[in-house]
Amino acid sequence: MIKTIGLITGGGDAPGLNAVIRAVVKTAVSEYGLRVVGIEDSFEGLLGQTRTRLLEPADVRGLLPRGGTILGTRNRGRFVDRLEGGEEKPREVYEEAAANLRRLGIDGLVVLGGEGSLGIAVEFDRMGVPVIGVPKTIDNDLACTELTFGFVTALDIATEALDRLHTTAASHDRVMVLEVMGRHTGWIALHSGIAGGADVILMPEIPFSMQSVADKVAERERCDSQFSIIVAAEGACEAGGREFYQDTGDRQHAPRLGGIGNHVAHEIERITGKESRCVVLGHLQRGGTPNAFDRMLATNYGSCAVHALMRGEHGRMVALHAADIITVPLTKAIANVKTVALDSQLIRTARDVGISFGAPDEARYHGQEAC
Ligand code: F6P
């Protein structure tokens, strides 16, 4: 019988973390009379002296609009050792954390995380601590769920940025490149590109040719549009090329992507002669208040996670499916990154409204009468 739930926020922050915390605490206390212990700084708070705090309904007042996570997520990467490109889970670290969970009387965990943190959570479930995951990441790249919380807010921010870039691009007859997040996937780039009226969307799922991007800019000039807007996911790369990184990472941290936007701006200016600029949206996509949709989704996820745990489910993740919340195996959710399907309606719609993906064979998707 579960009496005390441990609550962990792992990985990069995403708008809506605090809304999930609030829903977990309210549901756990009012529906089941449980204790909820917040674990600080992700799984790190379970090591050494441990850093935890009891969360009561009064502690979660006013949290719906608050960005970040009140529990912190300063992950030092001690639960995953990235040895020569591989990933190893250091046994002694997990055993220390599990012993501390027992000492704290925590008999179930709700873990808010993306693929990395949920991968750590799976290990605890295997060690006998029941775990329910909550899908968090602005990248929306977790499998088995239609949406992760935080994504739609990031999308709003990227779309507003594109709106703003339109007016400055048009005033100066420039090419503006917006680099958005999306490590392995183009969800933010694709959705914001359509919503924000981009001319070119570059995403990891469709390797691009710089010439094809330049052709699109030139085609717009012929059709009397002297400016162009390009949105590039940080993980996008040229056909036969490589991803751009800010650093190479180390044993405890994954390499950090970044730089594709500047590269594209530079190359487009070189090829077309048009003045080009790049804006890297970066962590503005993650910080600040969640939008209404993410508050609602986060609340729904948090409440359903507690019910799932109390039904005796474990090793599962709450997920959005056809407007309902279901649970799916955690191992399935983290097995593969959810990429954008190239035959999806959204890709076809983007092409229908004249958006180019800069694919080397892009011309085949568009007739000559583009004007
Ligand atoms: O996973 C979300 C994400 O926003 C990625 O798109 C990005 O590459 C990464 O986090 C950056 O995280 P941080 O700067 O915290 O290492």
Side-chain angles (χ1 to χ4, degrees):
M1 245 281 269
I2 291 177
K3 293 206 176 100
T4 302
I5 294 181
L7 187 51
I8 291 180
T9 54
D13 66 338
L17 280 163
N18 286 325
V20 180
I21 293 173
R22 173 179 175 274
V24 167
V25 171
K26 282 180 162 258
T27 306
V29 173
S30 69
E31 295 295 305
Y32 301 100
L34 300 171
R35 286 173 78 236
V36 181
V37 175
I39 295 154
E40 295 180 358
D41 295 338
S42 186
F43 293 94
E44 300 279 338
L46 291 172
L47 299 176
Q49 300 299 308
T50 70
R51 295 181 302 287
T52 62
R53 64 173 119 140
L54 191 63
L55 292 174
E56 290 179 348
D59 300 313
V60 297
R61 263 187 218 133
L63 279 193
L64 270 175
R66 187 146 18 132
T69 160
I70 57 163
L71 294 175
T73 179
R74 286 160 283 262
N75 196 345
R76 292 209 268 134
R78 281 188 285 174
F79 286 81
V80 181
D81 205 341
R82 295 169 206 280
L83 296 161
E84 287 154 24
E87 290 198 345
E88 203 167 279
K89 305 246 157 64
R91 242 12 299 149
E92 65 290 352
V93 175
Y94 282 81
E95 267 148 27
E96 180 185 339
N100 281 329
L101 281 173
R102 283 192 294 276
R103 187 177 55 76
L104 292 162
I106 294 173
D107 27 39
L109 280 178
V110 174
V111 178
L112 286 51
E115 160 218 4
S117 308
L118 295 181
I120 295 171
V122 165
E123 291 300 313
F124 284 99
D125 195 74
R126 286 192 185 124
M127 292 170 86
V129 184
V131 173
I132 294 292
V134 180
K136 168 240 65 166
T137 163
I138 65 160
D139 292 352
N140 196 36
D141 61 357
L142 269 172
C144 306
T145 183
E146 284 161 20
L147 286 176
T148 54
F149 73 83
F151 167 67
V152 179
T153 303
L155 188 56
D156 281 353
I157 295 164
T159 303
E160 191 196 335
L162 286 170
D163 288 347
R164 290 178 183 275
L165 291 180
H166 262 91
T167 58
T168 173
S171 304
H172 290 267
D173 288 349
R174 281 176 175 157
V175 175
M176 298 296 301
V177 182
L178 179 70
E179 181 179 307
V180 296
M181 282 187 171
R183 222 180 314 188
H184 310 294
T185 62
W187 293 104
I188 298 177
L190 176 63
H191 285 236
S192 68
I194 292 173
D199 305 299
V200 180
I201 296 174
L202 304 177
M203 44 190 242
E205 292 88 341
I206 306 180
F208 67 94
S209 124
M210 207 63 85
Q211 188 58 52
S212 173
V213 178
D215 288 348
K216 176 69 181 177
V217 171
E219 175 204 304
R220 280 179 54 78
E221 280 214 302
R222 278 198 308 279
C223 298
D224 223 16
S225 290
Q226 301 306 312
F227 72 93
S228 286
I229 304 288
I230 300 173
V231 55
E234 61 184 352
C237 56
E238 278 180 82
R242 58 174 181 88
E243 290 167 329
F244 278 72
Y245 285 97
Q246 294 181 55
D247 67 41
T248 51
D250 55 30
R251 280 181 75 146
Q252 293 181 329
H253 299 96
R256 282 195 307 142
L257 281 159
I260 186 68
N262 266 308
H263 174 67
V264 170
H266 182 268
E267 284 299 292
I268 292 304
E269 183 161 317
R270 188 181 61 77
I271 299 172
T272 65
K274 277 198 83 67
E275 242 193 315
S276 305
R277 298 280 192 273
C278 167
V279 172
V280 180
L281 201 48
H283 295 78
L284 289 173
Q285 291 157 99
R286 292 197 340 207
T289 190
N291 70 7
F293 181 85
D294 275 328
R295 295 181 201 190
M296 179 278 294
L297 183 64
T299 302
N300 217 351
Y301 276 157
S303 171
C304 291
V306 174
H307 290 306
L309 206 52
M310 297 310 284
R311 277 195 304 270
E313 293 190 36
H314 68 92
R316 299 184 72 82
M317 181 184 85
V318 289
L320 182 69
H321 178 73
D324 201 5
I325 305 292
I326 59 167
T327 67
V328 296
L330 264 176
T331 46
K332 257 183 103 177
I334 60 170
N336 294 301
V337 167
K338 181 183 71 182
T339 54
V340 176
L342 299 189
D343 59 354
S344 65
Q345 180 56 50
L346 216 46
I347 295 278
R348 286 196 294 276
T349 297
R351 286 194 158 120
D352 287 347
V353 297
I355 294 172
S356 163
F357 290 96
D361 57 348
E362 192 70 24
R364 114 181 131 86
Y365 297 104
H366 300 285
Q368 291 304 303
E369 308 300 313
C371 301

